[in-house]
Amino acid sequence: MSAKRINTRKHTKRKRAKIPGEVPSKEDILAFVADNPGRAGKREIARHFGIVGGARIHLKKMLKDLAEEGLIEKRNKRMIRPGDLPSVFVVSLVARDRDGDLLGVPVDWDEEGGAPPKILILTGKGKGSQPGLGDRALVRLTEAESGPEADRTARVIKVLEKKQGAILGIFRKRDGDRPAYLEPIDRKQRELDIDPSDLKEADDGDLVSVQVTRSGRYGHPRASIVERFGSMNSEKAVSEIALHSHAIPHVFPTGVEAQAEAAKPVDKLGKREDWRQIPLITIDPPDAKDHDDAVYAEADDDPDNEGGQIVYVAIADVAHYVTPGSAMDREANLRGNSVYFPDRVIPMLPERISNQLCSLREKEDKPAMGVRMLFDKTGRKKSHTFHRVLMRSAAKLSYLQAQKAIDGVTDEKTETLLEGVLKPLWTAYGVLHKGRETREPLELDLPERKIKLKENGTVDHVYVPERLDAHKLIEEFMIQANVAAAETLEKKKSPLLYRVHDASTPEKLESLKDFLSTLNMKLPSSGGLRPAVFNGILAKVKDTPQAHLVNEVILRSQAQAEYTPQNIGHFGLNLRRYAHFTSPIRRYADLIVHRGLISALGLGSDGLPEGIEGKLEAIGGEISGAERRAMLAERDTIDRLIALWMSDQVGATFEGRVAGMVKSGLFVRLEETGADGFVPASTIGLDYYRYDEGSHALIGDKTGETYQLGDQVEVRLVEVAPFAGALTFELLSHGRIAGRKIRKSMPKTRRGPPKGGRGKTSPRKNRRRSS
């Protein structure tokens, strides 16, 4: 170790030995060791005190005497005082403090010297420095404040060992008396023999989790079954794979559940404003249980604001129940957001909170954070105010139910709401829509396909839900409420997590420019690009064969939205400032914004905790990562469900479009279902195909035959890998030659599924990015 790293500042006035044979006192050595824990070896001590020649023998004896007296210890050729920590050491992460930060203890610790010190762990920014509970990590001591629950603070250098959790796989029986075994979902893992003493009634082909009970260098390791999830054909089993592979927390600790059960409903007005006479309604999917938001609108009767509208948005007051540093708060921070599978939700908060106490249920008094917004006739927001209220939802409606009522088809519930509630809402939406058109956010048209499951959890069919004005109304009301929250907190100079969306990078724009040139379209090469520029391109290709292709490529050129305390605006929505306020039941970022409003506006004592400013950047990074993790898990689950659904369709032919490409082949998305599969380049004809990134095309070297993103093709399903969620296709169509599209002269024997045929819905690339 270089002597330059040794702390010599405190010893600059010490007398250094200049004569061979002269050595420092024991006190000097002990002081030097104390100032340089884990860095002071015999060589470093000699160099610091100028000990040379024969005097080194005396130094060696003195160090031995100090060790025998128990005043110093030798670890890895370095000296430390008993009870001291070296500058770099390994910790085991054993708990979290009240703020949710990780606490660790040294792995190498002599218990005779007392209980091991608790170390507050500071994580780095890289993927290799993000540990979790149960992991081991290499850390370096820092002088940062450790807080009341820790003795020292250290920063992660590298995660050394992830916690060995349960292994997920398929239970397989063997013939005869041979033990059953686990076929791991992760192909990198070895097969494991299953302990026959407790099989949990598992049948061949069931999904199970196991814990390794014996491992060795010879023979199969053995494991015992921890949990049986049932047939792999069920949605629960498939989503369980996603939860496991993406390490998504899905079991609430006992303390969190206990805190949720102990929470009491708000049944008194107290210091809250009374909004119970305002006929707020919820409009959600028909199966929703966690109702975050309720809305109401009315015309402004101010003669100076003719044609203006007043919009009320009430959001569940989660901050009342989930207080900073509580067990529920720490768990919500860890989860970051709820995760939605086709027929299952992994909530951020326990169901007693998310579906009962906080949910704005019909005809029940509920605490809420309300915002009253005033708009002029052009849709420009003139003012807004925030309120902590008690409200009562007048009705629970589905999107389709509300839309049908506006379209003239009412039912028993909507008949009474049509004139006084629904029509005023749609009038206000018409005004806000004018403001949206003036703002010109990015308007991509990429319909999202959904899966409908049967009662047994298997796929029934795939469909594209209709995009209704009811959806757009709620979306625009929520955007405006989010903007109001960001504006208020910024004005009050409150700590704030913005929802930001950066502009595209120069590299992505250059790639997009090259692609558009293949369609004889241009992208401005200078000046700041705004969403309106992309909208102009999309308008030119609307209702043309290239429409879907251009939407896809423009989407892929965009950055991904994230949470951060540094505001750079929201490019996609074309907003200067934006924050998430409207979904605190399912997003931790929104809960932070609620607490900010409570503190900034003096609405209670359950606002932001002290010192939150210094943690917001880390929290924003963590919950942005949790959001991406959830998106991947949701996509992987859909991929696997569809692969299972199509596993008996090998040999069937389908119509599709080229949805993506890489050097090794191209991805095809089926027209009827949106299922994605891969066509290896090595199986395409007799030519050698090269990937041209600029034109998003595979081009044959000899023939010039070209397959481009968006091309219509016919494919045959040749292989299904259900556990990986992968489909492999064989291409039956020729590409383009000199701009001309031709087909192979072969009979088309379609053996695909009947109308409404099978396919998987999620592409390899994310087709939608959350705003």
Side-chain angles (χ1 to χ4, degrees):
M1 182 179 290
S2 171
K4 292 181 180 179
R5 298 180 64 183
I6 298 296
N7 180 7
T8 62
R9 289 177 295 175
K10 297 183 180 180
H11 299 279
T12 54
K13 295 183 179 180
R14 293 188 191 278
K15 181 179 179 181
R16 296 181 57 151
K18 298 180 180 179
I19 303 172
E22 183 179 352
V23 295
S25 67
K26 289 183 178 181
E27 289 75 15
D28 285 340
I29 292 176
L30 289 173
F32 180 73
V33 170
D35 289 339
N36 298 278
R39 299 194 298 269
K42 184 173 69 175
R43 181 183 300 176
E44 285 72 28
I45 294 172
R47 182 179 294 144
H48 175 72
F49 290 104
I51 301 172
V52 296
R56 287 177 175 268
I57 298 174
H58 297 287
L59 174 63
K60 183 177 181 181
K61 182 178 184 303
M62 182 176 290
L63 293 176
K64 183 178 180 181
D65 291 342
L66 288 171
E68 290 177 349
E69 293 171 20
L71 297 175
I72 62 173
E73 295 176 356
K74 188 175 182 180
R75 294 186 188 176
N76 299 322
K77 298 183 179 180
R78 296 290 185 267
M79 309 297 172
I80 65 170
R81 297 184 306 173
D84 277 352
L85 289 167
S87 60
V88 176
F89 57 101
V90 177
V91 294
S92 178
L93 304 176
V94 296
R96 291 183 182 272
D97 65 10
R98 67 184 304 273
D99 294 324
D101 294 321
L102 288 166
L103 295 175
V105 295
V107 171
D108 185 12
W109 185 261
D110 186 357
E111 295 288 349
E112 292 183 1
K118 288 185 178 180
I119 314 298
L120 177 67
I121 303 300
L122 306 177
T123 58
K125 295 184 179 180
K127 291 183 178 179
S129 57
Q130 298 292 330
L133 282 176
D135 296 348
R136 288 190 174 192
L138 183 67
V139 300
R140 185 186 303 279
L141 281 177
T142 74
E143 297 302 320
E145 179 66 35
S146 60
E149 298 179 57
D151 302 297
R152 296 294 302 272
T153 302
R155 184 171 296 279
V156 174
I157 300 173
K158 183 180 181 181
V159 178
L160 301 177
E161 180 184 346
K162 301 297 287 184
K163 180 182 178 181
Q164 179 62 52
I167 298 173
L168 218 60
I170 310 302
F171 179 79
R172 298 296 188 193
K173 292 182 178 179
R174 290 190 176 104
D175 295 333
D177 296 329
R178 293 191 302 163
Y181 69 97
L182 183 85
E183 179 186 326
I185 294 296
D186 186 349
R187 296 181 179 182
K188 297 177 183 177
Q189 293 177 330
R190 297 175 60 189
E191 290 182 355
L192 300 168
D193 286 340
I194 301 295
D195 185 345
S197 62
D198 184 11
L199 298 180
K200 300 283 193 299
E201 299 182 352
D203 292 325
D204 189 67
D206 280 356
L207 179 71
V208 297
S209 65
V210 303
Q211 193 76 43
V212 176
T213 56
R214 185 191 71 195
S215 60
R217 299 174 61 183
Y218 306 103
H220 280 292
R222 174 165 288 196
S224 59
I225 295 178
V226 176
E227 188 173 0
R228 170 182 172 269
F229 300 105
S231 170
M232 262 300 298
N233 292 325
S234 69
E235 190 275 341
K236 181 181 178 182
V238 173
S239 61
E240 198 69 36
I241 296 175
L243 293 174
H244 181 87
S245 59
H246 293 283
I248 294 176
H250 60 286
V251 177
F252 286 107
T254 303
V256 174
E257 291 280 17
Q259 190 175 68
E261 289 301 319
K264 303 297 182 184
V266 174
D267 54 6
K268 294 181 180 180
L269 190 61
K271 295 182 179 181
R272 296 177 181 272
E273 294 182 36
D274 194 346
W275 277 24
R276 287 176 292 183
Q277 301 308 313
I278 300 175
L280 294 148
I281 64 170
T282 62
I283 305 178
D284 290 295
D287 56 350
K289 295 180 181 178
D290 53 347
H291 302 288
D292 276 297
D293 55 88
V295 294
Y296 175 71
E298 61 185 3
D300 186 9
D301 58 7
D302 186 345
D304 293 331
N305 189 32
E306 185 178 353
Q309 296 288 321
I310 303 173
V311 172
Y312 298 83
V313 174
I315 305 298
D317 191 356
V318 176
H320 173 80
Y321 294 102
V322 183
T323 54
S326 64
M328 281 197 292
D329 182 50
R330 293 195 298 270
E331 185 68 16
N333 188 2
L334 177 65
R335 296 185 177 215
N337 49 252
S338 298
V339 184
Y340 292 85
F341 296 118
D343 196 32
R344 182 183 183 190
V345 177
I346 306 301
M348 183 181 78
L349 298 168
E351 288 191 4
R352 174 163 170 75
I353 300 296
S354 60
N355 292 0
Q356 298 177 32
L357 295 181
C358 284
S359 184
L360 306 181
R361 302 201 293 192
E362 187 177 41
K363 308 297 183 183
E364 294 184 14
D365 289 358
K366 295 290 180 177
M369 288 289 290
V371 57
R372 179 184 185 271
M373 299 176 285
L374 179 64
F375 296 87
D376 67 18
K377 63 182 179 181
T378 69
R380 181 182 65 87
K381 182 164 64 64
K382 298 183 65 176
S383 64
H384 66 265
T385 53
F386 280 92
H387 311 261
R388 209 166 190 187
V389 306
L390 193 66
M391 54 125 345
R392 179 185 294 141
S393 170
K396 168 190 170 183
L397 302 181
S398 70
Y399 288 111
L400 183 58
Q401 189 179 16
Q403 188 67 54
K404 281 185 174 181
I406 287 295
D407 293 341
V409 183
T410 58
D411 57 26
E412 185 177 347
K413 180 182 289 187
T414 57
E415 178 68 34
T416 60
L417 298 170
L418 183 60
E419 294 298 329
V421 178
L422 292 175
K423 284 187 176 181
L425 280 172
W426 256 256
T427 299
Y429 167 62
V431 170
L432 267 63
H433 185 66
K434 293 178 184 177
R436 180 184 178 93
E437 289 182 326
T438 301
R439 191 175 80 242
E440 290 192 272
L442 183 59
E443 301 283 8
L444 291 169
D445 182 18
L446 290 167
E448 183 181 18
R449 289 171 170 84
K450 299 277 190 180
I451 287 182
K452 176 68 175 178
L453 298 177
K454 300 176 183 177
E455 290 186 3
N456 63 2
T458 59
V459 176
D460 182 33
H461 64 277
V462 180
Y463 66 101
V464 177
E466 185 180 0
R467 177 80 167 151
L468 305 171
D469 282 345
H471 293 103
K472 299 174 185 177
L473 180 152
I474 294 298
E475 179 183 284
E476 193 59 31
F477 281 22
M478 297 305 110
I479 288 174
Q480 292 299 332
N482 288 336
V483 170
E487 289 175 347
T488 295
L489 292 175
E490 196 173 87
K491 182 178 180 180
K492 292 289 186 178
K493 302 187 184 306
S494 168
L496 169 60
L497 265 184
Y498 292 94
R499 177 65 167 181
V500 302
H501 180 217
D502 204 354
S504 303
T505 63
E507 294 79 12
K508 287 186 175 182
L509 288 177
E510 191 63 31
S511 177
L512 177 60
K513 182 179 178 182
D514 291 343
F515 164 71
L516 291 174
S517 68
T518 68
L519 301 177
N520 296 318
M521 302 179 73
K522 292 184 178 180
L523 187 71
S525 56
S526 61
L529 288 179
R530 306 305 305 166
V533 174
F534 296 108
N535 290 341
I537 294 169
L538 294 170
K540 291 179 181 178
V541 298
K542 188 176 181 180
D543 299 325
T544 71
Q546 291 80 28
H548 191 86
L549 163 64
V550 175
N551 273 273
E552 283 276 7
V553 177
I554 288 179
L555 172 65
R556 296 179 190 187
S557 72
Q558 302 301 305
Q560 188 160 8
E562 60 183 353
Y563 298 102
T564 174
Q566 284 79 44
N567 185 29
I568 59 172
H570 197 294
F571 179 83
L573 293 175
N574 202 12
L575 293 168
R576 292 183 179 179
R577 55 192 61 81
Y578 192 64
H580 273 166
F581 159 75
T582 56
S583 297
I585 289 177
R586 61 184 178 89
R587 291 189 306 228
Y588 192 73
D590 302 53
L591 178 55
I592 291 177
V593 169
H594 276 234
R595 289 172 177 166
L597 291 168
I598 292 168
S599 295
L601 301 175
L603 298 177
S605 60
D606 45 1
L608 290 172
E610 291 185 9
I612 189 68
E613 296 93 332
K615 298 179 180 180
L616 282 182
E617 185 172 0
I619 292 173
E622 289 170 358
I623 60 181
S624 295
E627 178 185 39
R628 291 189 287 272
R629 177 182 68 185
M631 291 170 64
L632 288 171
E634 291 164 7
R635 187 193 69 185
D636 286 354
T637 296
I638 290 175
D639 284 351
R640 290 188 175 99
L641 281 170
I642 296 300
L644 282 165
W645 190 46
M646 295 189 71
S647 59
D648 62 348
Q649 295 295 304
V650 173
T653 61
F654 304 90
E655 297 292 329
R657 284 185 181 272
V658 177
M661 51 187 60
V662 290
K663 293 179 180 179
S664 57
L666 50 85
F667 296 99
V668 172
R669 181 174 305 131
L670 303 187
E671 291 281 10
E672 293 182 352
T673 62
D676 262 11
F678 186 65
V679 179
S682 59
T683 66
I684 306 175
L686 300 176
D687 207 342
Y688 180 80
Y689 290 82
R690 296 186 184 275
Y691 174 45
D692 183 73
E693 186 174 0
S695 60
H696 292 265
L698 285 179
I699 304 173
D701 271 357
K702 297 178 181 179
T703 63
E705 184 180 35
T706 301
Y707 293 94
Q708 190 177 33
L709 196 68
D711 280 352
Q712 287 188 315
V713 292
E714 185 178 18
V715 295
R716 177 185 290 120
L717 180 62
V718 296
E719 185 180 1
V720 178
F723 303 149
L727 307 176
T728 303
F729 293 134
E730 174 190 3
L731 199 58
L732 303 180
S733 303
H734 276 300
R736 299 176 184 273
I737 298 179
R740 182 167 55 92
K741 183 72 182 288
I742 62 175
R743 294 266 186 178
K744 285 187 178 180
S745 55
M746 61 173 291
K748 298 183 201 174
T749 55
R750 181 176 177 84
R751 294 194 292 115
K755 189 174 181 180
R758 302 183 176 184
K760 58 175 186 164
T761 64
S762 180
R764 306 258 170 200
K765 300 281 187 181
N766 288 331
R767 288 162 40 214
R768 292 188 63 190
R769 296 185 189 274
S770 173
S771 61

